[in-house]
Amino acid sequence: MEESVFERDPSDPAHKEVNPLLKLALELGPLMVFFFANARGEWLLERFPVLASIGEPIFIATALFMAATLIALSVSWILLRSLPIMPLISGIVVLVFGALTLWLHNETFIKMKPTIVNTLFGMILLGGLYFGKSLLGYVFDSAFKLNAEGWRKLTMRWGVFFLVLAVLNEVVWRSFSTDFWVAFKVWGTMPITLLFTFAQMPLVMKYSIEQEAVEKAASKDK
């Protein structure tokens, strides 16, 4: 069977299941590194004076964010021999905009990264629906097993949600300080995303394949 560089479609028999906790760690780990490095930038400079050549804490955080992103993608490749689509897209944007941030010494580029990534995700998900493809299965298949209608509705909701996050990021980084923006990425965006995820559970339960099987079995017994 031909090996695929990218994560396979969830319906593909060759699709590899990923431990949800490992997947969460690989996807959120780089963001936590970014937050820690920005919050403790002065401490890092005291412990590792060589970092002073990079600049202020936000630039140190950006450099470490890029390194952590590369490590997370490398671990995914080593363990699975494939690269997850959405973290890969996010990683490419992190590396491009991170490099511009460090090269031009302008923090605006790294602040724009969530806007670009969320807009891309929203457009990809909604565009996939236009062509009859529910791409969200690549992200959540290890956690949820839904029928086609469930994936379609969930993909629509997440596509719109990503576009809302893009607008929200623009408002925050343009209106508040850098420290506030970094904190909002972790303590604002993450809780909002978790609340949105939990709010989708009724839809997930309604369209889960297991629930569908139970309902069919019950109808046969009648």
Side-chain angles (χ1 to χ4, degrees):
M1 182 178 294
E2 184 181 352
E3 290 292 330
S4 174
V5 174
F6 304 109
E7 185 177 23
R8 291 181 180 272
D9 188 293
S11 62
D12 191 323
H15 176 74
K16 296 180 180 179
E17 295 290 338
V18 184
N19 183 297
L21 291 179
L22 174 61
K23 191 169 187 175
L24 185 67
L26 291 175
E27 293 180 4
L28 293 186
L31 179 60
M32 298 305 297
V33 169
F34 180 67
F35 173 77
F36 173 82
N38 184 75
R40 302 299 303 275
E42 298 300 331
W43 180 85
L44 286 172
L45 283 171
E46 291 177 3
R47 297 296 187 281
F48 306 99
V50 68
L51 295 176
S53 61
I54 299 177
E56 300 173 10
I58 185 62
F59 299 116
I60 295 172
T62 298
L64 294 181
F65 191 19
M66 295 168 66
T69 298
L70 284 174
I71 290 171
L73 289 173
S74 298
V75 170
S76 291
W77 175 255
I78 291 170
L79 296 178
L80 305 172
R81 289 300 170 187
S82 64
L83 295 172
I85 300 297
M86 297 184 79
L88 177 60
I89 294 172
S90 177
I92 291 172
V93 177
V94 166
L95 295 176
V96 171
F97 279 75
L100 287 172
T101 298
L102 297 178
W103 181 36
L104 300 176
H105 233 58
N106 188 335
E107 61 191 42
T108 298
F109 293 103
I110 199 64
K111 289 180 177 179
M112 290 176 61
K113 173 260 174 186
T115 301
I116 302 298
V117 169
N118 287 320
T119 300
L120 279 174
F121 285 171
M123 293 177 65
I124 288 170
L125 291 180
L126 297 178
L129 285 180
Y130 179 79
F131 291 102
K133 191 78 170 177
S134 299
L135 300 175
L136 200 67
Y138 284 98
V139 182
F140 286 137
D141 184 64
S142 59
F144 308 133
K145 303 294 181 182
L146 306 182
N147 61 25
E149 185 179 1
W151 281 125
R152 182 179 62 78
K153 291 185 176 181
L154 196 62
T155 298
M156 173 66 76
R157 293 184 182 186
W158 275 95
V160 173
F161 179 69
F162 278 126
L163 294 180
V164 170
L165 286 182
V167 173
L168 188 58
N169 181 72
E170 282 296 293
V171 171
V172 172
W173 84 259
R174 292 178 184 275
S175 305
F176 299 95
S177 68
T178 296
D179 287 342
F180 182 91
W181 171 78
V182 172
F184 180 79
K185 277 176 60 66
V186 178
W187 309 118
T189 302
M190 286 177 61
I192 290 172
T193 302
L194 287 174
L195 287 173
F196 178 80
T197 302
F198 289 136
Q200 307 315 304
M201 292 312 296
L203 182 149
V204 170
M205 296 298 295
K206 180 178 179 181
Y207 293 100
S208 68
I209 293 175
E210 291 82 357
Q211 180 65 24
E212 191 176 63
V214 169
E215 291 176 355
K216 287 183 178 179
S219 64
K220 288 181 180 180
D221 293 339
K222 290 182 180 179

